[in-house]
Every structure is written in C-alpha cells, then in structure tokens.
Amino acid sequence: MFNYLIKRLIYSIPILLGITIITFAVMYCTPGKPTDMIADFNIKVTSEAKERLVRLYGLDKPIHEQYWNWLKRIVALDFGNSFKDGRPASQKIIERLPATVLLNVLSIFLMLIVAIPIGVYSAVQRYSLLDRILTVMVFVCFSVPAFWIALLLMIVVGLWFGWLPISGLVSFNFENLSFFAKMWDLAKHLILPLVVSTLGSFAVLSRYIRSGMLDALRQDYIKTAYAKGLSKKQVIFNHSLKNALLPLITIIGLSIPGLIGGSFIIETVFSYPGMGRLGYDAIMARDYPVIMGIGVISAFLTLLGNIIADVLYSAADPRIRYK
Amino acid sequence: MLFEKIKMKKLFRNKPAFCALILISIIVITAVFAPFIATHDPSAQDLPRRLSAPSAAHLLGTDDLGRDVFSRTVYGARVSISVGFFAVLITLFIGVILGMVSGYFGGWVDSVIMRFTDIMLCFPTFFLILIVIAFFEPSIINVMVVIGITSWTGLARIVRAEVLSIREREFVLASKMLAVSKTRLLFAHILPNAVSPIIVYAAIGMSAAVLTESGLSFLGLGAQPPMSSWGQILMQGKDYIYVAWWLSLFPGIMILLTVLSFNMIGEALRDILDPKDSKI
C-alpha cells in the first residue's frame, strides 16, 4: 500500500512536468506578448522603454531558459501579477476559492443523496415502470445543456415567480443583515446554481450505481446471503450496496478538479463569484498570469485526485492488488 | 454481411434508438435544406418589430434586432451538425491512429503516447478549449479543431486496448506470414475488428461536441455574428431574460433533442455491438 503510493507519486512526476510544459507552450504560442498590453496601447511608451520591459520580463531569453524561470516561480505558487489590477494572481485565485468549494462540496453531497437511492432502486426493480421513467429522466438530465436549464430556471423561478435571486452569492445589503438572515440570504442564492450543477453529475453517477448494483446482485455471494436466510433488505444494503459504491471513490476523486476549477458556464450564467468566473474573465481579458495559475492548479489537482482515488480504491477493495 | 443486417435490424427495432435516428435525420435535413425551410432571411433585420413574441408572422418570435428566431434556429442546425461532424472526424483521426500505433507497436512508443494521453486527461477540457478559442480568433472552424484535438484521449485508450487483444489473434499472425505491410495490416485487418467501440465513441462524441459548441457560442466564443447558432441565440436570451423568454426556450429544445438523440443512438449501438454488455 505504502509502496504503491510512493510508486504512484514517482510515476506522476513526468506527468506533472508534462502539464507545465503544455501550459507553458500554450502561453508561448499565443499571439501577442504580455508587454503589448502595457506598451502598445500607450503612445508615451518609447521603443527603448518597451525593450526594457521585455528584458524585465525575461522575454528576450531563449525558450528553455524562459520555461525554467517560469517553472521555478510556479513551484513557489508565484504566477506573477494580474495584468488587470497588478495584484498577485495566486492571491486572486485564493480569494475566489471558498465560494467555488462551498458550491461544489454542497453539490457533491446533493449528488450522492439523489443518485444513490435512484441507482439502487433502478437496479433492484429493474425494468419496472419507475425504473424506465428514471432511466429516461437520467438520460435527459445527462443530455441537457446546463446553461439552458439555468436560463429557464432563472426565468421561471427567479423572474415569473420571484422566489429566488438569479445572480451573485449575496444580496447588496448583506453586511447589514443579522446572522440568520445572512445564512438565509446565502442559501437562497445558492439554490439555483446548486441544482444546475448537480443535474448532469447525478445522472452519470446514478447510472454507475445502477450498473454496479446489477453487477453485484449477480454475484455468488449474494446467492449465499439469500441462502443463509437474510432478508432482502439486508442483502441489498449490506452485501450489494457496499460493493456497488466502490466506483464512487473513483468518481469523487475525479470530481476534485471540478471542485476547485469550478464550472465556467454555470458560474458565468449566475454571476457566481468563484474560480470558474475568475477564469472566464481572465481569459476574456487575456490575463495570462491568472489563466496559467488556474490551469496549472486544476491540472495538478486532477492528478492528485486520480492518485488519491486509486490509493483509496486499493485500500477499500482487497480484490485489487497493485504490483 | 449477414451480421451487419441483423445489427441494423436490431437498431431499427430498438424504439428509442429508432426515434432518435428519425430525429437526427430531420435535423440533418433541416441543416441541409435550411434556405427552403426558413421563413425569413436569418439576418434580415426588422427593427420596428424587435423582441416580438411568437406569432403567425414570426413563428418563434424575433430577437433584439428583429430577426426571425425560427429561421435563425433552422440555420443554427447547420452550425451544430457541421461542428459536431468535423470535430468527431478529427477526434477519430487522432484517436484511432494514436491508439492503433500505441497498441500495436508497444514498447517506448506506447509509453510515450500513453503518458501524453495521461497529461491531456489532466487538463480540464473546457478550460483548455476556452483558452485556445479566446487567444486565437473565435470562429466555428477553430471550435471544430479545438474540440477535435481535445477529445481524443478516451478513444485512444479504447482503441489501444482493442488492438492489444486483436494483435494476438491468429489471423494477424497469418497476415504477417503473408508479408502484408504494416500499414495494410493495421488498417485493413486490425482496424475493422476494432470498429464497434469506435462507432459508439463517435455517436457519443457527436453529442458532446454539439453540447460544447453550444456552450462556447453561449459564452460568445463560438459562431460569430451574422452567423446564427443555437448557443448564440441563448446568449441573447440571457441578455433579454426579462422580456423575451422565447429566445431562451426554443434553441435549447433543439440542443436537447440533438444531444439526446446522439446519446440514445450511442447507447443503443453499445448494446447491439458489444455482446458482453447487452444484458445490462
């Protein structure tokens, strides 16, 4: 187990390097220099000053040297200063982190709460009417564009009925509210983004659980359990569900990057102040430091999520042994 | 050939898949014959009648410039279908070749390709697409290419696994003894045996590409005006959310139906082509 972890970590080093190389390559290949923003739009900047600026940023050095300098700073989480307001990119990212984590942790919980019962029911009562209806529903949820559902919900729930606010995380008068009113205000703002971001993921998950349950129910140990005289409830919840839930580890591991990276479209639609929105705004403004910061952090977290999932999986499932 | 016929029959008997097939046909026909189906010129402006609700003159209402939403939706099918088609074509091209080379030759070639695949899998695809589109000019050509070159990773892995098992079979040995060239062996003998999962991947890939394109257009990074696409109409819908619900409703239904149909077909093909999973 420990050896496996070490092996996975060593194995991930070249991948980590690859991530940084690709990120750097994308940044390098894009048209325009970062200095253009400051120099080209300002007639007062002379060409000597521009050159000094290029030298200051090290843009006149050969590519491998630029990469090396960039890498050294990345390791210290220094992505440079945002072109927009000159503040450190890492600081801007950290500011947005809580909102995105809040939304996504809640979304994962909601997803589990909804998907597990649906998956279990569909497997146990396979081909029943409700299973068929749920299957169709899951298929529609899986195929529907999240931003469209967001729009419709905003129109119906937010505008026609006026029940919920349609954008942002808190109201304008948030500071003046009492503690409970603050919580209530936050909750009201969270409901719509939460529903929309859970919609697609719960559909996929419930399918996994359904097929996992079906697989588990076919095993011989289930027959043994029935033969011992256990009730159906015990067999389903104690014997099959445990095994059907194993893939959940992988899926939750895979959702860690989403946890931090946030969803670009959903956060943009709802003007939700998270990482996704920050990333979108940064891309639109060509704010390289922030973009690269988000890119590297997301890719790194994906890798970390995969490793954690694999290690947990090997710990949870004794049938799997890694060399 | 008999098998093929049986498979086709199975596909037509599968009711949801059959409906999906008809829906797709309708959408493709709409895309091809858009000029005949559209009731108005999709970019003709009628400013006095801007943002008018659905009526007999404008079946699905008009947008902020008085353009007919029905006609724009009809023309939008062109963008979605062509982006999906070409993106999947690029995906198939890259994924199949990398997967086959990796699976067949093994060794360091395999290691290099698979490590590259691992790296690509670590990037949030949509973020990568956003960056590339935003830095190079947004256009549907770029959207096609970018979706194509970011979504081949899963396919490469699948094809590699297939080839790994196929290359051990006797007919491959027989072909080798007949001194069939490597290219011919790979494309004429091995590839046809690995085609089922590729077809399934293509169908699901179409749905994913249509979804991604609409998302990009919704953010203003896909089809550029005066071209119309479903995502773009939805973007206008967001801007006029207080007054014009019709802008938000109809293009979304089209996206849903298209994506749903391709998913249905993909799922049905998976059942039919893969005998191992058919009972689930």
Side-chain angles (χ1 to χ4, degrees):
Chain A
M1 183 50 202
F2 185 68
N3 285 342
Y4 176 66
L5 182 64
I6 298 290
K7 223 173 226 175
R8 277 302 308 255
L9 287 177
I10 293 173
Y11 169 85
S12 63
I13 292 172
I15 297 184
L16 212 56
L17 273 178
I19 290 170
T20 59
I21 289 175
I22 290 190
T23 314
F24 184 77
V26 169
M27 181 167 66
Y28 194 84
C29 290
T30 48
K33 277 194 207 120
T35 49
D36 290 355
M37 197 77 104
I38 314 165
D40 280 7
F41 300 128
N42 192 343
I43 40 167
K44 281 185 196 154
V45 176
T46 59
S47 62
E48 290 97 65
K50 198 179 157 187
E51 225 141 79
R52 243 181 292 140
L53 205 57
V54 166
R55 227 174 300 136
L56 178 72
Y57 282 118
L59 296 173
D60 53 341
K61 297 207 175 87
I63 179 168
H64 59 271
E65 221 168 293
Q66 279 190 44
Y67 170 69
W68 179 241
N69 288 334
W70 180 75
L71 193 64
K72 273 194 291 195
R73 287 195 291 121
I74 291 297
V75 174
L77 284 182
D78 173 16
F79 300 105
N81 292 339
S82 164
F83 293 157
K84 235 175 167 179
D85 48 15
R87 289 169 49 224
S90 48
Q91 194 190 332
K92 286 185 89 166
I93 294 170
I94 288 168
E95 270 175 17
R96 297 296 190 97
L97 214 55
T100 297
V101 172
L102 175 69
L103 178 62
N104 286 290
V105 167
L106 289 174
S107 161
I108 286 182
F109 272 111
L110 188 64
M111 170 179 92
L112 292 176
I113 291 166
V114 180
I116 293 176
I118 288 182
V120 171
Y121 180 86
S122 298
V124 176
Q125 304 286 335
R126 184 151 66 126
Y127 298 143
S128 65
L129 182 66
L130 192 54
D131 172 37
R132 282 169 196 274
I133 294 173
L134 285 173
T135 304
V136 172
M137 209 184 78
V138 160
F139 244 99
V140 172
C141 286
F142 181 63
S143 307
V144 77
F147 58 90
W148 180 54
I149 288 298
L151 269 184
L152 294 187
L153 283 175
M154 281 158 87
I155 291 178
V156 175
V157 183
L159 298 178
W160 288 0
F161 293 111
W163 288 334
L164 296 169
I166 59 170
S167 73
L169 181 58
V170 290
S171 303
F172 288 118
N173 58 349
F174 187 71
E175 290 306 319
N176 309 327
L177 295 172
S178 67
F179 178 74
F180 288 106
K182 266 184 184 172
M183 285 295 132
W184 177 234
D185 187 54
L186 202 63
K188 276 205 303 197
H189 280 86
L190 273 169
I191 290 175
L192 285 184
L194 199 56
V195 168
V196 174
S197 62
T198 311
L199 217 55
S201 51
F202 108 84
V204 181
L205 189 69
S206 73
R207 284 324 267 181
Y208 271 109
I209 291 172
R210 181 178 184 268
S211 69
M213 273 300 274
L214 283 175
D215 224 31
L217 286 172
R218 250 183 302 194
Q219 302 294 322
D220 286 339
Y221 61 79
I222 298 298
K223 277 189 200 125
T224 315
Y226 276 122
K228 282 196 298 186
L230 295 181
S231 70
K232 197 171 182 186
K233 212 163 134 193
Q234 273 175 310
V235 173
I236 289 172
F237 288 105
N238 289 346
H239 293 72
S240 346
L241 187 58
K242 255 190 206 166
N243 285 290
L245 289 184
L246 277 176
L248 274 190
I249 297 175
T250 313
I251 294 167
I252 293 178
L254 287 177
S255 54
I256 289 180
L259 195 84
I260 309 295
S263 163
F264 295 95
I265 294 188
I266 293 174
E267 289 192 3
T268 310
V269 174
F270 287 110
S271 308
Y272 189 86
M275 289 255 292
R277 173 123 187 110
L278 179 70
Y280 176 75
D281 288 344
I283 287 172
M284 285 306 164
R286 304 207 174 184
D287 195 348
Y288 292 82
V290 177
I291 298 171
M292 292 307 138
I294 293 177
V296 170
I297 289 178
S298 314
F300 176 69
L301 286 167
T302 313
L303 193 63
L304 196 68
N306 285 345
I307 294 175
I308 291 174
D310 280 358
V311 171
L312 281 182
Y313 208 105
S314 75
D317 190 347
R319 284 171 302 181
I320 293 174
R321 303 225 184 285
Y322 294 103
K323 282 164 273 166
Chain B
M1 259 355 305
L2 182 68
F3 275 122
E4 304 302 312
K5 266 191 186 160
I6 294 174
K7 281 173 188 168
M8 284 308 279
K9 250 189 195 162
K10 271 192 181 167
L11 187 60
F12 285 122
R13 284 228 189 100
N14 184 326
K15 262 184 227 152
F18 186 65
C19 296
L21 220 52
I22 290 182
L23 257 174
I24 294 287
S25 314
I26 293 175
I27 293 166
V28 171
I29 291 171
T30 311
V32 173
F33 296 103
F36 302 103
I37 295 167
T39 50
H40 295 70
D41 178 354
S43 31
Q45 303 181 1
D46 184 2
L47 287 172
R49 286 215 210 158
R50 63 198 293 265
L51 295 172
S52 59
S55 64
H58 296 282
L59 290 174
L60 304 182
T62 59
D63 68 2
D64 55 331
L65 294 173
R67 296 175 297 192
D68 183 51
V69 174
F70 174 74
S71 307
R72 289 183 73 71
T73 309
V74 167
Y75 272 87
R78 287 190 159 182
V79 173
S80 290
I81 295 294
S82 56
V83 166
F85 183 77
F86 287 107
V88 166
L89 218 58
I90 297 170
T91 304
L92 290 186
F93 184 74
I94 303 174
V96 167
I97 288 187
L98 285 185
M100 283 208 303
V101 167
S102 185
Y104 184 77
F105 293 104
W108 67 269
V109 181
D110 180 35
S111 302
V112 169
I113 293 176
M114 280 303 116
R115 284 311 75 73
F116 183 57
T117 314
D118 287 345
I119 294 167
M120 288 298 284
L121 274 172
C122 279
F123 280 100
T125 318
F126 198 77
F127 187 59
L128 206 59
I129 293 177
L130 271 182
I131 293 175
V132 176
I133 297 288
F135 285 177
F136 301 93
E137 258 158 59
S139 75
I140 62 164
I141 306 281
N142 281 346
V143 172
M144 286 172 194
V145 174
V146 160
I147 295 177
I149 56 177
T150 46
S151 43
W152 53 269
T153 43
L155 183 64
R157 285 186 161 187
I158 294 170
V159 173
R160 173 177 174 271
E162 289 284 315
V163 174
L164 275 179
S165 87
I166 293 170
R167 72 168 186 191
E168 303 300 331
R169 294 216 209 133
E170 266 121 19
F171 73 86
V172 174
L173 192 63
S175 316
K176 274 185 191 162
M177 290 202 310
L178 290 170
V180 173
S181 77
K182 272 197 184 119
T183 337
R184 198 173 150 72
L185 178 66
L186 273 175
F187 286 94
H189 296 276
I190 291 180
L191 183 58
N193 283 287
V195 84
S196 311
I198 299 176
I199 294 176
V200 174
Y201 198 91
I204 309 274
M206 273 299 280
S207 74
V210 171
L211 215 50
T212 309
E213 183 275 326
S214 64
L216 285 172
S217 294
F218 179 71
L219 294 178
L221 294 167
Q224 295 301 304
M227 194 184 269
S228 78
S229 92
W230 297 334
Q232 197 196 20
I233 305 172
L234 287 177
M235 177 177 72
Q236 293 174 324
K238 193 194 172 227
D239 292 340
Y240 294 95
I241 189 168
Y242 290 93
V243 280
W245 55 269
W246 54 91
L247 286 174
S248 298
L249 183 63
F250 301 114
I253 294 177
M254 293 304 293
I255 300 172
L256 174 62
L257 289 179
T258 313
V259 174
L260 194 60
S261 303
F262 279 115
N263 275 336
M264 289 279 195
I265 291 175
E267 200 72 2
L269 284 173
R270 196 201 304 269
D271 285 352
I272 295 162
L273 298 174
D274 191 355
K276 277 173 284 175
D277 280 354
S278 60
K279 283 183 199 76
I280 294 176

